[in-house]
DNA sequence: TAGATTGTTAATCGATTAACAATC
DNA sequence: TAGATTGTTAATCGATTAACAATC
Protein backbone atom coordinates (compact mmCIF):
# COMPACT_ATOMS: atom_id res chain seq x y z
CA UNK A 1 0.00 0.00 0.00
CA UNK A 2 3.03 2.30 0.25
CA UNK A 3 3.78 4.92 -2.41
CA UNK A 4 0.12 5.52 -3.21
CA UNK A 5 -1.13 9.05 -3.48
CA UNK A 6 -2.94 9.73 -0.22
CA UNK A 7 -6.12 11.77 -0.45
CA UNK A 8 -6.57 14.95 1.52
CA UNK A 9 -9.54 13.40 3.32
CA UNK A 10 -7.29 10.71 4.77
CA UNK A 11 -4.68 13.21 5.91
CA UNK A 12 -7.33 15.30 7.64
CA UNK A 13 -8.55 12.29 9.61
CA UNK A 14 -5.15 11.33 10.96
CA UNK A 15 -4.94 14.20 13.48
CA UNK A 16 -8.42 13.25 14.68
CA UNK A 17 -7.28 9.70 15.33
CA UNK A 18 -4.24 11.08 17.08
CA UNK A 19 -6.35 13.19 19.36
CA UNK A 20 -8.51 10.28 20.46
CA UNK A 21 -5.49 8.02 20.91
CA UNK A 22 -3.99 10.64 23.22
CA UNK A 23 -7.21 10.65 25.23
CA UNK A 24 -6.94 6.87 25.55
CA UNK A 25 -3.37 7.15 26.76
CA UNK A 26 -4.49 9.48 29.51
CA UNK A 27 -7.05 6.88 30.52
CA UNK A 28 -4.30 4.21 30.50
CA UNK A 29 -6.05 2.25 27.76
CA UNK A 30 -3.42 0.41 25.75
CA UNK A 31 -5.37 -1.25 22.94
CA UNK A 32 -8.08 -0.02 20.61
CA UNK A 33 -10.03 -1.57 17.73
CA UNK A 34 -11.22 0.14 14.54
CA UNK A 35 -14.68 -0.59 15.94
CA UNK A 36 -14.02 1.52 19.06
CA UNK A 37 -12.41 4.31 17.10
CA UNK A 38 -15.23 4.38 14.58
CA UNK A 39 -17.88 4.50 17.24
CA UNK A 40 -16.21 7.32 19.11
CA UNK A 41 -15.40 9.39 16.03
CA UNK A 42 -18.53 8.64 14.00
CA UNK A 43 -16.56 7.00 11.23
CA UNK A 44 -16.86 3.67 9.50
CA UNK A 45 -14.42 1.11 11.01
CA UNK A 46 -13.49 -0.12 7.54
CA UNK A 47 -12.52 3.40 6.61
CA UNK A 48 -10.26 3.71 9.60
CA UNK A 49 -8.55 0.39 8.84
CA UNK A 50 -8.11 1.45 5.24
CA UNK A 51 -6.73 4.87 6.19
CA UNK A 52 -4.11 3.28 8.41
CA UNK A 53 -3.31 0.51 5.93
CA UNK A 54 -2.15 3.09 3.40
CA UNK A 55 0.88 3.60 5.60
CA UNK A 56 1.62 0.14 6.95
CA UNK A 57 0.33 -2.78 8.99
CA UNK A 58 -0.06 -1.27 12.43
CA UNK A 59 -2.63 -3.61 13.94
CA UNK A 60 -2.82 -7.20 15.10
CA UNK A 61 -5.56 -9.45 13.74
CA UNK A 62 -7.97 -10.48 16.46
CA UNK A 63 -6.55 -7.87 18.85
CA UNK A 64 -6.65 -4.35 17.44
CA UNK A 65 -4.12 -1.55 17.57
CA UNK A 66 -1.62 -0.83 20.32
CA UNK A 67 -2.36 2.75 21.34
CA UNK A 68 1.20 3.88 22.03
CA UNK A 69 2.53 2.28 18.84
CA UNK A 70 -0.22 3.78 16.70
CA UNK A 71 0.41 7.25 18.14
CA UNK A 72 4.07 6.88 17.29
CA UNK A 73 3.29 5.77 13.75
CA UNK A 74 0.74 8.51 13.03
CA UNK A 75 3.14 11.10 14.38
CA UNK A 76 5.78 9.80 11.99
CA UNK A 77 3.34 9.93 9.07
CA UNK A 78 2.38 13.51 9.87
CA UNK A 79 6.06 14.39 10.40
CA UNK A 80 5.29 15.26 14.01
CA UNK A 81 8.13 13.10 15.28
CA UNK A 82 10.50 16.02 14.85
CA UNK A 83 9.72 19.56 16.07
CA UNK A 84 8.37 21.87 13.39
CA UNK A 85 9.05 25.57 13.94
CA UNK A 86 6.14 27.87 13.11
CA UNK A 87 6.04 31.66 12.76
CA UNK A 88 3.01 33.91 13.13
CA UNK A 89 2.36 37.35 11.68
CA UNK A 90 -0.35 39.49 13.27
CA UNK A 91 -0.22 39.99 17.03
CA UNK A 92 -3.89 40.89 17.48
CA UNK A 93 -6.34 38.96 19.60
CA UNK A 94 -6.37 36.02 17.24
CA UNK A 95 -2.62 35.82 16.96
CA UNK A 96 -2.30 36.07 20.71
CA UNK A 97 -4.87 33.29 21.14
CA UNK A 98 -3.01 30.96 18.82
CA UNK A 99 0.29 31.55 20.62
CA UNK A 100 -1.33 30.12 23.69
CA UNK A 101 -1.99 26.89 21.84
CA UNK A 102 1.68 26.00 22.12
CA UNK A 103 0.64 23.92 25.12
CA UNK A 104 -1.83 21.85 23.11
CA UNK A 105 0.65 21.42 20.30
CA UNK A 106 3.01 19.67 22.71
CA UNK A 107 6.61 19.57 21.55
CA UNK A 108 5.66 18.52 18.04
CA UNK A 109 5.04 21.98 16.77
CA UNK A 110 5.91 25.30 18.20
CA UNK A 111 5.28 28.91 17.40
CA UNK A 112 8.84 30.22 17.69
CA UNK A 113 8.44 33.80 16.45
CA UNK A 114 5.72 36.45 16.29
CA UNK A 115 5.69 39.53 14.07
CA UNK A 116 3.57 42.61 13.62
CA UNK A 117 3.67 45.67 11.40
CA UNK A 118 2.45 48.21 13.92
CA UNK A 119 5.19 49.90 16.01
CA UNK A 120 3.21 49.93 19.25
CA UNK A 121 2.97 46.11 19.25
CA UNK A 122 6.73 45.59 18.84
CA UNK A 123 8.37 44.44 22.05
CA UNK A 124 5.19 43.15 23.62
CA UNK A 125 5.51 39.71 25.17
CA UNK A 126 3.06 36.93 24.35
CA UNK A 127 3.54 33.60 26.05
CA UNK A 128 7.34 34.10 26.31
CA UNK A 129 7.60 35.38 22.75
CA UNK A 130 8.58 38.96 21.95
CA UNK A 131 6.72 40.58 19.08
CA UNK A 132 9.20 41.56 16.37
CA UNK A 133 8.92 44.01 13.50
CA UNK A 134 7.80 42.40 10.25
CA UNK A 135 11.04 43.53 8.64
CA UNK A 136 12.84 40.82 10.59
CA UNK A 137 10.68 38.04 9.17
CA UNK A 138 13.05 36.76 6.50
CA UNK A 139 16.05 36.71 8.80
CA UNK A 140 14.18 34.95 11.57
CA UNK A 141 12.65 32.34 9.27
CA UNK A 142 16.09 31.44 7.98
CA UNK A 143 17.75 31.50 11.38
CA UNK A 144 15.09 29.48 13.19
CA UNK A 145 14.32 27.10 10.33
CA UNK A 146 10.65 28.08 10.28
CA UNK A 147 8.66 25.85 7.90
CA UNK A 148 5.05 26.89 8.46
CA UNK A 149 3.64 30.43 8.56
CA UNK A 150 0.43 31.56 10.18
CA UNK A 151 -1.35 34.67 8.92
CA UNK A 152 -3.56 36.47 11.45
CA UNK A 153 -3.54 39.99 10.05
CA UNK A 154 -6.56 41.95 8.74
CA UNK A 155 -7.87 40.90 5.33
CA UNK A 156 -6.28 43.71 3.35
CA UNK A 157 -2.78 42.87 4.57
CA UNK A 158 -3.02 39.10 4.16
CA UNK A 159 -1.73 38.83 0.59
CA UNK A 160 1.17 41.11 1.37
CA UNK A 161 2.15 39.05 4.42
CA UNK A 162 1.82 35.85 2.39
CA UNK A 163 4.23 37.31 -0.18
CA UNK A 164 6.73 38.12 2.53
CA UNK A 165 6.48 34.61 3.95
CA UNK A 166 7.06 33.15 0.50
CA UNK A 167 10.02 35.44 -0.07
CA UNK A 168 11.40 34.24 3.25
CA UNK A 169 11.26 30.65 1.99
CA UNK A 170 8.27 29.26 3.89
CA UNK A 171 6.92 25.83 2.83
CA UNK A 172 3.33 26.02 4.02
CA UNK A 173 0.86 28.70 5.10
CA UNK A 174 -2.21 28.70 7.29
CA UNK A 175 -4.33 31.75 6.53
CA UNK A 176 -6.89 33.01 9.04
CA UNK A 177 -7.75 36.22 7.21
CA UNK A 178 -11.18 36.19 5.56
CA UNK A 179 -9.87 36.79 2.07
CA UNK A 180 -8.72 34.79 -0.96
CA UNK A 181 -4.96 34.85 -1.33
CA UNK A 182 -2.80 33.49 -4.14
CA UNK A 183 0.44 31.59 -3.65
CA UNK A 184 2.71 29.64 -6.01
CA UNK A 185 1.71 26.01 -6.44
CA UNK A 186 4.71 24.68 -4.53
CA UNK A 187 3.49 26.39 -1.34
CA UNK A 188 0.86 24.44 0.57
CA UNK A 189 -1.93 26.83 1.58
CA UNK A 190 -4.72 25.97 4.03
CA UNK A 191 -7.52 28.23 5.13
CA UNK A 192 -8.89 28.41 8.64
CA UNK A 193 -11.72 30.74 8.07
CA UNK A 194 -14.16 31.52 10.80
CA UNK A 195 -16.56 33.51 8.61
CA UNK A 196 -17.04 30.86 5.89
CA UNK A 197 -17.38 28.26 8.63
CA UNK A 198 -20.20 30.22 10.28
CA UNK A 199 -21.88 30.91 6.96
CA UNK A 200 -22.01 27.27 5.93
CA UNK A 201 -23.35 26.42 9.38
CA UNK A 202 -26.27 28.79 8.79
CA UNK A 203 -27.40 26.65 5.85
CA UNK A 204 -28.33 23.84 8.21
CA UNK A 205 -30.69 25.90 10.33
CA UNK A 206 -34.35 25.08 9.69
CA UNK B 1 -32.94 20.35 -9.44
CA UNK B 2 -34.77 21.54 -6.32
CA UNK B 3 -35.44 19.21 -3.37
CA UNK B 4 -32.27 17.23 -3.92
CA UNK B 5 -30.07 16.47 -0.98
CA UNK B 6 -27.20 18.91 -1.20
CA UNK B 7 -23.78 17.60 -0.28
CA UNK B 8 -21.68 19.20 2.41
CA UNK B 9 -18.98 19.96 -0.15
CA UNK B 10 -21.40 22.14 -2.11
CA UNK B 11 -22.52 24.03 0.99
CA UNK B 12 -18.93 24.73 1.95
CA UNK B 13 -18.19 26.24 -1.44
CA UNK B 14 -21.11 28.68 -1.39
CA UNK B 15 -19.54 31.06 1.16
CA UNK B 16 -16.37 31.05 -0.95
CA UNK B 17 -18.35 32.13 -4.00
CA UNK B 18 -20.02 34.77 -1.89
CA UNK B 19 -16.71 36.16 -0.78
CA UNK B 20 -15.40 36.55 -4.30
CA UNK B 21 -18.67 38.03 -5.51
CA UNK B 22 -18.42 40.64 -2.80
CA UNK B 23 -14.90 41.47 -3.97
CA UNK B 24 -16.28 41.93 -7.48
CA UNK B 25 -18.97 44.27 -6.19
CA UNK B 26 -16.32 46.44 -4.59
CA UNK B 27 -14.58 46.61 -7.95
CA UNK B 28 -17.90 47.55 -9.60
CA UNK B 29 -17.88 44.42 -11.75
CA UNK B 30 -21.47 43.45 -12.47
CA UNK B 31 -21.21 40.19 -14.41
CA UNK B 32 -19.13 37.05 -13.90
CA UNK B 33 -18.84 33.72 -15.72
CA UNK B 34 -18.24 30.29 -14.22
CA UNK B 35 -14.98 30.47 -16.11
CA UNK B 36 -13.85 33.60 -14.20
CA UNK B 37 -15.00 32.21 -10.88
CA UNK B 38 -13.29 28.89 -11.50
CA UNK B 39 -10.03 30.50 -12.46
CA UNK B 40 -9.98 32.76 -9.43
CA UNK B 41 -11.02 30.10 -6.95
CA UNK B 42 -9.14 27.15 -8.47
CA UNK B 43 -12.32 25.23 -9.13
CA UNK B 44 -13.71 23.59 -12.25
CA UNK B 45 -16.23 25.88 -14.00
CA UNK B 46 -18.59 22.95 -14.55
CA UNK B 47 -18.58 22.31 -10.84
CA UNK B 48 -19.51 25.89 -10.09
CA UNK B 49 -22.38 25.82 -12.60
CA UNK B 50 -23.59 22.55 -11.15
CA UNK B 51 -23.38 23.81 -7.57
CA UNK B 52 -25.50 26.81 -8.43
CA UNK B 53 -27.93 24.81 -10.57
CA UNK B 54 -28.93 22.75 -7.52
CA UNK B 55 -30.72 25.82 -6.29
CA UNK B 56 -32.11 27.40 -9.44
CA UNK B 57 -31.24 28.98 -12.78
CA UNK B 58 -29.32 32.05 -11.79
CA UNK B 59 -27.29 32.66 -14.95
CA UNK B 60 -27.94 33.78 -18.52
CA UNK B 61 -26.69 31.64 -21.37
CA UNK B 62 -24.01 33.42 -23.36
CA UNK B 63 -23.64 36.09 -20.67
CA UNK B 64 -22.84 34.66 -17.25
CA UNK B 65 -24.14 35.55 -13.81
CA UNK B 66 -25.24 38.96 -12.58
CA UNK B 67 -23.06 39.57 -9.53
CA UNK B 68 -25.62 41.39 -7.39
CA UNK B 69 -28.37 38.87 -8.19
CA UNK B 70 -26.13 35.90 -7.47
CA UNK B 71 -25.07 37.39 -4.12
CA UNK B 72 -28.72 37.82 -3.23
CA UNK B 73 -29.53 34.24 -4.18
CA UNK B 74 -26.59 32.65 -2.37
CA UNK B 75 -27.44 34.66 0.72
CA UNK B 76 -30.97 33.30 0.56
CA UNK B 77 -29.71 29.75 0.17
CA UNK B 78 -27.41 30.10 3.17
CA UNK B 79 -30.21 31.80 5.12
CA UNK B 80 -28.10 34.92 5.36
CA UNK B 81 -30.93 37.13 4.12
CA UNK B 82 -32.21 37.43 7.67
CA UNK B 83 -29.96 38.23 10.65
CA UNK B 84 -28.87 35.20 12.63
CA UNK B 85 -28.06 35.84 16.31
CA UNK B 86 -24.98 34.04 17.62
CA UNK B 87 -23.77 33.59 21.20
CA UNK B 88 -20.22 32.88 22.32
CA UNK B 89 -18.96 31.22 25.48
CA UNK B 90 -15.35 31.77 26.51
CA UNK B 91 -14.09 35.35 26.68
CA UNK B 92 -10.39 34.54 26.32
CA UNK B 93 -8.17 35.79 23.53
CA UNK B 94 -9.86 33.61 20.95
CA UNK B 95 -13.37 34.60 21.99
CA UNK B 96 -12.35 38.23 21.98
CA UNK B 97 -10.86 37.88 18.51
CA UNK B 98 -14.03 36.34 17.11
CA UNK B 99 -16.19 39.11 18.56
CA UNK B 100 -14.24 41.53 16.43
CA UNK B 101 -15.31 39.63 13.32
CA UNK B 102 -18.77 41.13 13.64
CA UNK B 103 -17.58 43.67 11.09
CA UNK B 104 -16.70 41.01 8.51
CA UNK B 105 -19.95 39.17 9.15
CA UNK B 106 -21.86 42.27 8.04
CA UNK B 107 -25.46 42.36 9.18
CA UNK B 108 -26.05 38.77 8.20
CA UNK B 109 -24.78 37.28 11.38
CA UNK B 110 -24.01 38.83 14.67
CA UNK B 111 -22.51 37.78 17.95
CA UNK B 112 -25.13 39.19 20.30
CA UNK B 113 -24.01 37.81 23.66
CA UNK B 114 -20.77 36.69 25.31
CA UNK B 115 -20.44 34.52 28.39
CA UNK B 116 -17.69 33.32 30.66
CA UNK B 117 -17.47 31.19 33.77
CA UNK B 118 -14.72 33.11 35.55
CA UNK B 119 -15.92 35.92 37.85
CA UNK B 120 -13.13 38.34 36.95
CA UNK B 121 -14.18 38.35 33.28
CA UNK B 122 -17.82 39.23 34.03
CA UNK B 123 -18.65 42.82 33.20
CA UNK B 124 -15.73 43.28 30.80
CA UNK B 125 -16.67 44.93 27.54
CA UNK B 126 -15.66 43.41 24.19
CA UNK B 127 -16.64 45.26 21.06
CA UNK B 128 -19.78 46.75 22.70
CA UNK B 129 -20.74 43.44 24.32
CA UNK B 130 -20.67 42.92 28.08
CA UNK B 131 -19.40 39.56 29.28
CA UNK B 132 -22.15 37.80 31.23
CA UNK B 133 -21.99 34.93 33.70
CA UNK B 134 -22.57 31.53 32.11
CA UNK B 135 -25.60 31.05 34.37
CA UNK B 136 -27.47 33.56 32.21
CA UNK B 137 -26.91 31.57 29.02
CA UNK B 138 -30.30 29.87 28.80
CA UNK B 139 -32.25 33.04 29.50
CA UNK B 140 -30.29 35.09 27.00
CA UNK B 141 -30.52 32.46 24.25
CA UNK B 142 -34.28 32.40 24.62
CA UNK B 143 -34.66 36.17 24.90
CA UNK B 144 -32.37 37.04 21.97
CA UNK B 145 -33.41 34.15 19.75
CA UNK B 146 -29.84 32.85 19.52
CA UNK B 147 -29.56 30.01 17.00
CA UNK B 148 -25.83 29.32 16.76
CA UNK B 149 -23.39 28.85 19.63
CA UNK B 150 -19.62 29.29 19.53
CA UNK B 151 -17.42 27.47 22.01
CA UNK B 152 -14.05 29.06 22.77
CA UNK B 153 -13.37 27.66 26.24
CA UNK B 154 -10.45 25.40 27.23
CA UNK B 155 -10.73 21.77 26.11
CA UNK B 156 -11.83 20.35 29.47
CA UNK B 157 -14.83 22.68 29.68
CA UNK B 158 -16.00 22.31 26.08
CA UNK B 159 -18.37 19.36 26.54
CA UNK B 160 -19.96 21.02 29.55
CA UNK B 161 -20.52 24.25 27.66
CA UNK B 162 -21.94 22.30 24.71
CA UNK B 163 -24.40 20.64 27.07
CA UNK B 164 -25.52 24.00 28.41
CA UNK B 165 -25.99 25.35 24.89
CA UNK B 166 -28.09 22.32 24.01
CA UNK B 167 -30.14 22.70 27.16
CA UNK B 168 -30.71 26.32 26.19
CA UNK B 169 -32.18 25.17 22.86
CA UNK B 170 -29.37 26.00 20.43
CA UNK B 171 -29.64 24.64 16.84
CA UNK B 172 -26.01 24.59 15.78
CA UNK B 173 -22.59 24.73 17.42
CA UNK B 174 -19.16 25.77 16.25
CA UNK B 175 -16.50 24.28 18.51
CA UNK B 176 -13.02 25.77 18.65
CA UNK B 177 -11.79 23.69 21.59
CA UNK B 178 -9.26 21.01 20.60
CA UNK B 179 -11.34 18.13 21.89
CA UNK B 180 -13.98 15.68 20.65
CA UNK B 181 -17.42 16.58 21.94
CA UNK B 182 -20.68 14.68 21.61
CA UNK B 183 -24.04 16.25 20.79
CA UNK B 184 -27.46 14.81 19.89
CA UNK B 185 -27.91 14.17 16.17
CA UNK B 186 -30.41 17.01 15.72
CA UNK B 187 -27.73 19.57 16.65
CA UNK B 188 -25.45 20.56 13.81
CA UNK B 189 -21.85 20.53 15.06
CA UNK B 190 -18.88 21.92 13.15
CA UNK B 191 -15.29 21.98 14.30
CA UNK B 192 -12.89 24.85 13.72
CA UNK B 193 -9.80 23.31 15.05
CA UNK B 194 -6.50 25.05 14.78
CA UNK B 195 -4.41 22.15 16.08
CA UNK B 196 -5.72 19.50 13.67
CA UNK B 197 -5.40 22.03 10.86
CA UNK B 198 -1.73 22.60 11.65
CA UNK B 199 -1.07 18.90 12.07
CA UNK B 200 -2.47 17.98 8.68
CA UNK B 201 -0.48 20.81 7.16
CA UNK B 202 2.70 19.24 8.51
CA UNK B 203 2.07 16.13 6.39
CA UNK B 204 2.72 18.11 3.23
CA UNK B 205 6.18 19.30 4.24
CA UNK B 206 8.94 17.50 2.36
C1' DT C 1 -10.60 -24.32 19.56
C1' DA C 2 -13.93 -20.24 19.26
C1' DG C 3 -14.21 -15.37 18.99
C1' DA C 4 -12.43 -11.15 17.53
C1' DT C 5 -10.39 -8.15 14.47
C1' DT C 6 -7.19 -6.96 11.00
C1' DG C 7 -5.78 -5.93 6.00
C1' DT C 8 -7.51 -6.04 1.51
C1' DT C 9 -10.42 -6.93 -2.45
C1' DA C 10 -14.69 -6.09 -4.58
C1' DA C 11 -19.05 -3.51 -4.66
C1' DT C 12 -21.28 0.65 -3.98
C1' DC C 13 -21.95 5.15 -3.69
C1' DG C 14 -21.17 9.94 -4.59
C1' DA C 15 -18.69 13.77 -6.42
C1' DT C 16 -16.20 15.87 -10.19
C1' DT C 17 -15.49 16.72 -14.94
C1' DA C 18 -16.47 16.62 -19.93
C1' DA C 19 -19.47 17.43 -23.46
C1' DC C 20 -23.08 19.63 -25.77
C1' DA C 21 -27.75 21.37 -26.98
C1' DA C 22 -30.08 25.54 -25.87
C1' DT C 23 -29.93 30.36 -26.12
C1' DC C 24 -28.46 35.05 -25.02
C1' DT D 1 -25.25 35.69 -37.58
C1' DA D 2 -21.06 34.24 -34.73
C1' DG D 3 -19.26 33.82 -30.21
C1' DA D 4 -19.96 32.97 -25.54
C1' DT D 5 -21.74 30.69 -21.76
C1' DT D 6 -25.34 28.46 -19.33
C1' DG D 7 -27.86 24.21 -17.44
C1' DT D 8 -27.81 19.40 -17.67
C1' DT D 9 -26.78 14.72 -19.07
C1' DA D 10 -23.41 11.27 -19.46
C1' DA D 11 -18.71 9.68 -18.41
C1' DT D 12 -15.14 9.47 -15.27
C1' DC D 13 -12.97 9.43 -11.26
C1' DG D 14 -12.36 8.72 -6.45
C1' DA D 15 -13.87 7.72 -1.87
C1' DT D 16 -16.59 4.95 1.25
C1' DT D 17 -18.47 0.69 2.71
C1' DA D 18 -19.22 -4.35 2.72
C1' DA D 19 -17.43 -8.71 2.86
C1' DC D 20 -14.23 -12.12 4.01
C1' DA D 21 -9.88 -14.84 4.23
C1' DA D 22 -6.06 -14.65 7.30
C1' DT D 23 -4.65 -14.96 11.89
C1' DC D 24 -4.01 -13.52 16.72
Amino acid sequence: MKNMKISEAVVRRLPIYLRYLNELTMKSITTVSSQDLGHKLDLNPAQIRKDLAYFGEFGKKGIGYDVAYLIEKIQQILKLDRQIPVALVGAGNLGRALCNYNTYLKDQMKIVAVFDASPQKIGETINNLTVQPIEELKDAVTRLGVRIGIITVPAIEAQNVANQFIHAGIEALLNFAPVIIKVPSEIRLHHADFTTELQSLAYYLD
Side-chain angles (χ1 to χ4, degrees), chain A:
Chain A
M1 275 282 192
K2 299 293 184 85
N3 279 332
M4 275 192 74
K5 218 197 101 234
I6 306 300
S7 85
E8 213 166 313
V10 173
V11 175
R12 300 185 72 83
R13 282 192 292 269
L14 295 177
I16 312 284
Y17 300 158
L18 201 50
R19 163 165 306 163
Y20 182 50
L21 292 168
N22 282 321
E23 279 187 28
L24 291 177
T25 302
M26 287 190 292
K27 290 186 204 157
S28 307
I29 294 168
T30 58
T31 301
V32 69
S33 68
S34 60
Q35 195 79 211
D36 296 338
L37 272 161
H39 180 257
K40 179 70 176 184
L41 303 174
D42 283 320
L43 295 171
N44 184 300
Q47 181 172 65
I48 294 172
R49 293 201 297 279
K50 200 161 205 284
D51 283 355
L52 297 173
Y54 283 118
F55 304 99
E57 303 196 3
F58 304 142
K60 282 203 181 30
K61 293 186 173 67
I63 308 288
Y65 299 89
D66 181 83
V67 173
Y69 182 68
L70 193 52
I71 288 177
E72 189 190 319
K73 284 300 172 183
I74 295 181
Q75 286 186 340
Q76 277 173 20
I77 295 162
L78 291 172
K79 304 196 174 65
L80 299 172
D81 48 345
R82 61 215 83 169
Q83 184 181 287
I84 298 177
V86 178
L88 182 148
V89 177
N93 281 313
L94 184 55
R96 205 170 288 128
L98 299 184
C99 287
N100 291 316
Y101 274 71
N102 265 347
T103 324
Y104 288 115
L105 294 169
K106 308 246 179 72
D107 292 330
Q108 305 147 359
M109 260 181 178
K110 204 176 176 186
I111 299 174
V112 295
V114 182
F115 303 87
D116 202 288
S118 99
Q120 68 262 40
K121 292 254 177 68
I122 312 300
E124 263 185 39
T125 299
I126 304 171
N127 203 23
N128 294 325
L129 294 164
T130 304
V131 179
Q132 303 175 64
I134 184 86
E135 289 74 23
E136 313 251 318
L137 182 64
K138 189 168 194 298
D139 262 15
V141 164
T142 311
R143 195 176 58 247
L144 299 167
V146 170
R147 310 189 64 185
I148 299 182
I150 300 179
I151 300 173
T152 53
V153 296
I156 34 163
E157 293 171 36
Q159 180 67 61
N160 179 32
V161 168
N163 295 345
Q164 295 192 58
F165 263 128
I166 293 160
H167 180 241
I170 209 81
E171 292 170 61
L173 287 173
L174 182 52
N175 175 38
F176 283 83
V179 69
I180 306 151
I181 63 178
K182 285 281 186 187
V183 302
S185 60
E186 65 273 19
I187 309 286
R188 183 88 199 173
L189 170 67
H190 282 203
H191 286 275
D193 191 331
F194 167 61
T195 56
T196 54
E197 198 65 56
L198 257 191
Q199 287 174 340
S200 59
L201 199 49
Y203 175 81
Y204 298 98
L205 300 175
D206 301 316

